[in-house]
Amino acid sequence: RRGQERAVSSVGAGRDTRVVPPTGGGKSICDQIPALLLPRLTLVISPLISLMKDQVDALEARGLPAAFINSTLSSSEVADRLARAERGTLKLLYVAPERFDVGATADRLRNIGISLLAVDEAHCISEWGHDFRPDYLRVGHVRERLGAPPTIALTATATPEVRRDIVRQLRLAQPEIVVTGFDRKNLRYHVVRTRTDSDKDQALVRTMKQHDGLAVVYASTRRAVERVAQSLRRARIDAIAYHAGLDDAHRHEVQEVFMREQVRAIVATNAFGMGIDKPNVRLVVHHAMPGTLEAYYQEAGRAGRHGLPSDCVLLLAFQDRFTHEYFIKSAYPERTIVERVYRLLQRAADRSGVAPVTATDLAVRSDGAVKEREVESALRLLTQVSAVRAEQVSLSTLWVRLMATPARIRAELGERDAAERGLLRELWRGAGKRFYDGIPVEPDALPPGFGGAMGVRALLERLEERQFVLWHGTGGGIRLADAGAPLSRFPVDWDGIDRRRRAELSKLDAMQRYAYAKTCRRAFVLRYFGDPDARPTCDGCDVCLGTHVADTASEPAPARGAPRVRKRARDGAGPADRSVPNAPRPRAARPAVQPGQPLPSDDLPELGPADIALIGALRALRTELARAEHVPSYCIFPDRTLVEMAVRRPESTDLLASVHGVGPAKLDRYGDRFLAVIRRATDSR
């Protein structure tokens, strides 16, 4: 394929080489062919255990001497593979970058002799890359310890900035640059705008029925993977779910079922696909917008590797951005939030420097200034810089708070709950109304019959799941390294955190601009990757084919700092949609939120009057339930969950379960009442 001969020749001549082919462009050949020709070992640094295993399995199936070393192996297995390398019976050895933190691995490999160092998925080495991994930062140092052997860096998803950073981080000397272009001419790109997950499910089924051949469907979470796979099976489309929550044996079985084409589609998180050699996938569908254009290009590029026309479909809803923004903010919290959380910890700390609080407690103590998720991300950062650490909780004494009225206890705890009722009665007998404020409980001091400490905790867990009590261990919390020290004493790289946050949000903005593009999508991708072959139009995207109908249902939020400009939707419906698959009919744009509306977050979508009215109705129900159960409103549902309910308007318990913050217990307890409010609001439109 294009560029392969040039890359192999460069490596064979002993030159450092950087190779950037398109996804599916055959980059593995560029290090595997030289590995068979060079006299000593080729060492391949690879980021994923599953990826290196798949590559080694494929090489061994062709009779080629390859092995991998990673955390799945015992020490004796590692020693055996290194001994094979020393004897010269291995030509390719795959390792993860963190392997070089263990023992004298680099020194031993240097003594064996490395003819070629190959760095796979090299974009991971750059903090500007879409999948930056701190472990990869050590690869440049490892290369020096190995004796600076000739090096080939390979990636299919690198912008010009990332390509330059790869050369700098690896310290490559005047490398041969092989960039073969990013255009996969046999791929057709489509975007279908939707409003709810139900819309997406219907569009997915239509897409599957309009296409023949194998399909890969990407969903953003494990729960979404299971739900989407079930939706396809209900539509009589053979589908199987794949995600990291499956055990290794089950995950391998699922992968083999798809590879043998015993099912039509595999629904997966992005854990599936890297290194998978399945050339006849004809359709890749993204059930939600990825966080970066690099990730989308890489995953969509798993279609059509056999060269035949294939389709890449993105099912888009404007709330898709929320999840990505949450993870970005969690990974790179703002300085003001971290400083506020640190001050709260200092105030809460006792004389020993322990703050007996949780993330929830700190969020409450901030009087709404910091959300619980923001507290959690701040605590992660403070732990990383050794400003705090978790203190072990003791379960010998518990703190228990009653959350339900006596009337509710009598009404809902029946004969099958005799043990739970007995425990509540015993605790009430000793504390009375103080039980509502929270009391210390020593399980071993309670009368016999509750099963001892373990039995009491089991009863409390069941009661908490049904929201009769709140409880936790005592004596634990968060220990400050120095409760009197200012945060400035600790090595927090604020500039680096801000830089990474801006970079990630910029990538998210680029992905969103692609999704809402009104000009050629192929050209947008090629320009993003700096491909000089970009042309203004193509014959392989919905915009240029005229099959996409501009839908004002979900205009993207403007970039931060940009003025908000609202466009009025034209009266009347747009032309009939001819996209593949069919998109919903256009609807009017949401008006901006009016000043003074009490919205709970600064990163929410713009809401129309009907949405705001529904949020008010949902809040009223939440307040009613909270008063009846003597709990704060956020214990029923946080504001963000109510807003997502109003935006998505789930029509069933299955769809309500996919709303953030709606767990099984809350779904069972409150689901029907909140669905009733949503249905009334929807029916009155």
Side-chain angles (χ1 to χ4, degrees):
R1 298 183 186 177
R2 182 183 173 192
Q4 287 178 333
E5 181 179 359
R6 182 177 160 204
V8 170
S9 298
S10 172
V11 173
R15 293 193 61 184
D16 290 339
T17 308
R18 189 193 68 196
V19 182
V20 188
T23 297
K27 63 183 172 69
S28 296
I29 290 292
C30 299
D31 61 66
Q32 290 172 0
I33 293 292
L36 299 177
L37 301 174
L38 293 169
R40 294 186 298 276
L41 184 68
T42 289
L43 183 68
V44 183
I45 294 181
S46 181
L48 295 177
I49 290 174
S50 59
L51 175 59
M52 64 175 72
K53 183 181 184 304
D54 292 334
Q55 290 175 324
V56 169
D57 286 347
L59 289 165
E60 288 182 330
R62 296 180 174 91
L64 302 178
F68 63 80
I69 294 176
N70 58 40
S71 58
T72 66
L73 303 179
S74 66
S75 57
S76 61
E77 288 174 317
V78 171
D80 175 68
R81 296 181 185 201
L82 287 173
R84 289 172 58 195
E86 286 176 330
R87 292 194 301 269
T89 58
L90 280 181
K91 297 298 291 184
L92 283 130
L93 181 63
Y94 289 76
V95 298
E98 58 269 20
R99 167 57 49 178
F100 297 98
D101 289 340
V102 180
T105 302
D107 296 333
R108 187 169 179 183
L109 288 169
R110 178 173 183 166
N111 291 334
I112 291 171
I114 304 298
S115 287
L116 174 65
L117 174 65
V119 182
D120 199 10
E121 306 297 339
H123 57 270
C124 296
I125 206 171
S126 171
E127 69 171 311
W128 311 115
H130 74 284
D131 192 20
F132 169 62
R133 301 187 181 219
D135 284 340
Y136 259 61
L137 288 177
R138 63 171 62 88
V139 175
H141 176 61
V142 167
R143 178 174 180 262
E144 297 300 319
R145 290 176 61 194
L146 292 171
T151 300
I152 180 170
L154 305 116
T155 177
T157 50
T159 62
E161 183 177 32
V162 172
R163 299 200 289 266
R164 289 190 294 270
D165 206 20
I166 290 170
V167 172
R168 182 179 63 82
Q169 294 279 5
L170 289 176
R171 305 161 198 169
L172 303 182
Q174 298 181 325
E176 178 78 8
I177 308 298
V178 183
V179 180
T180 57
F182 293 85
D183 194 4
R184 297 277 304 284
K185 291 183 169 39
N186 63 313
L187 298 186
R188 296 181 293 248
Y189 299 95
H190 312 269
V191 175
V192 177
R193 298 195 198 175
T194 61
R195 196 177 168 194
T196 66
D197 283 345
S198 179
D199 291 341
K200 290 184 176 183
D201 293 346
Q202 294 172 27
L204 173 60
V205 170
R206 285 195 300 269
T207 303
M208 294 291 298
K209 291 183 176 179
Q210 291 169 358
H211 288 77
D212 296 322
L214 296 178
V216 176
V217 180
Y218 284 105
S220 56
T221 65
R222 300 177 188 180
R223 185 166 62 178
V225 165
E226 295 286 357
R227 187 186 61 75
V228 171
Q230 185 179 22
S231 173
L232 287 174
R233 289 193 291 268
R234 281 199 299 264
R236 298 185 178 181
I237 297 171
D238 289 337
I240 195 165
Y242 180 102
H243 53 72
L246 306 177
D247 60 63
D248 289 343
H250 190 187
R251 197 159 58 243
H252 180 73
E253 179 184 354
V254 168
Q255 183 174 311
E256 287 301 309
V257 165
F258 179 70
M259 298 295 281
R260 292 195 299 266
E261 303 183 18
Q262 293 174 302
V263 293
R264 167 85 191 284
I266 187 166
V267 184
T269 59
N270 60 9
F272 176 81
M274 293 186 75
I276 302 299
D277 185 15
K278 191 64 178 166
N280 59 332
V281 172
R282 299 297 298 274
L283 174 68
V284 171
V285 181
H286 280 78
H287 197 270
M289 183 181 75
T292 70
L293 199 56
E294 290 99 324
Y296 180 70
Y297 173 81
Q298 185 178 61
E299 292 160 10
R302 288 168 189 146
R305 294 193 175 189
H306 50 12
L308 297 179
S310 302
D311 289 275
C312 310
V313 178
L314 170 61
L315 306 179
L316 175 70
F318 68 87
Q319 64 265 27
D320 288 350
R321 182 182 176 105
F322 294 163
T323 300
H324 300 297
E325 284 195 340
Y326 160 63
F327 283 117
I328 292 170
K329 291 176 181 178
S330 294
Y332 310 105
E334 295 183 1
R335 181 171 185 167
T336 54
I337 290 173
V338 179
E339 290 175 336
R340 186 185 292 268
V341 170
Y342 187 71
R343 288 195 298 271
L344 289 170
L345 286 170
Q346 287 179 307
R347 294 192 202 111
D350 59 23
R351 291 183 178 179
S352 67
V354 175
V357 292
T358 64
T360 302
D361 298 330
L362 291 169
V364 172
R365 293 183 185 209
S366 76
D367 295 325
V370 185
K371 302 168 195 170
E372 184 174 343
R373 288 177 175 177
E374 293 173 328
V375 173
E376 291 170 351
S377 62
L379 290 176
R380 278 194 294 272
L381 176 61
L382 291 170
T383 301
Q384 289 169 7
V385 298
S386 300
V388 304
R389 62 179 172 85
E391 189 79 358
Q392 187 66 35
V393 174
S394 169
L395 295 177
S396 60
T397 301
L398 310 177
W399 180 88
V400 186
R401 177 185 174 193
L402 182 63
M403 310 292 285
T405 62
R408 185 186 152 212
I409 293 171
R410 288 192 295 270
E412 297 186 20
L413 292 181
E415 294 181 3
R416 291 182 298 180
D417 308 307
E420 286 86 345
R421 291 184 63 172
L423 178 60
L424 293 177
R425 188 180 299 115
E426 180 65 28
L427 297 179
W428 180 272
R429 184 180 295 121
K433 291 186 178 180
R434 287 189 298 110
F435 198 2
Y436 282 116
D437 298 322
I439 57 172
V441 174
E442 296 183 11
D444 290 330
L446 293 173
F450 294 118
M454 291 185 64
V456 169
R457 292 199 297 270
L459 291 173
L460 289 173
E461 285 174 359
R462 292 201 290 270
L463 287 166
E464 185 174 55
E465 185 177 330
R466 298 168 66 179
Q467 298 194 352
F468 285 94
V469 301
L470 291 175
W471 75 278
H472 57 71
T474 60
I478 302 168
R479 178 175 290 279
L480 283 76
D482 184 345
L487 184 55
S488 58
R489 172 183 155 185
F490 300 97
V492 184
D493 182 9
W494 298 114
D495 290 340
I497 292 170
D498 290 342
R499 186 173 64 249
R500 288 293 299 154
R501 186 192 316 109
R502 289 194 300 270
E504 293 300 317
L505 288 170
S506 176
K507 287 179 178 294
L508 181 58
D509 287 339
M511 181 69 236
Q512 196 168 35
R513 288 196 301 274
Y514 165 85
Y516 289 96
K518 297 178 181 178
T519 56
C520 178
R521 297 192 197 281
R522 186 184 304 275
F524 189 102
V525 171
L526 298 182
R527 286 196 301 270
Y528 181 81
F529 286 112
D531 192 325
D533 292 337
R535 299 290 182 269
T537 61
C538 72
D539 57 1
C541 79
D542 55 354
V543 175
C544 294
L545 292 171
T547 58
H548 178 73
V549 175
D551 179 353
T552 58
S554 44
E555 288 294 330
R560 293 175 183 268
R564 288 185 174 269
V565 180
R566 303 298 299 170
K567 296 181 180 179
R568 292 185 175 274
R570 295 179 180 176
D571 294 334
D577 180 30
R578 303 190 304 277
S579 66
V580 184
N582 296 323
R585 293 172 68 87
R587 63 183 175 88
R590 294 177 178 271
V593 178
Q594 298 301 314
Q597 287 290 347
L599 291 180
S601 173
D602 61 357
D603 59 352
L604 295 171
E606 298 189 36
L607 304 167
D611 299 318
I612 293 172
L614 176 53
I615 292 171
L618 293 171
R619 279 180 173 160
L621 172 58
R622 181 182 66 175
T623 300
E624 176 188 337
L625 293 171
R627 286 174 177 169
E629 298 183 15
H630 299 286
V631 297
S633 293
Y634 68 81
C635 287
I636 306 298
F637 286 123
D639 281 338
R640 175 61 178 271
T641 298
L642 300 188
V643 173
E644 191 171 339
M645 287 182 189
V647 170
R648 293 171 59 175
R649 299 190 180 228
E651 301 167 353
S652 65
T653 53
D654 283 347
L655 293 175
L656 183 60
S658 68
V659 173
H660 176 81
V662 182
K666 291 189 177 183
L667 181 68
D668 182 59
R669 180 152 186 77
Y670 308 123
D672 289 342
R673 297 189 66 174
F674 278 87
L675 282 172
V677 172
I678 294 168
R679 289 182 186 123
R680 284 197 298 271
T682 303
D683 292 343
S684 65
R685 277 182 161 184

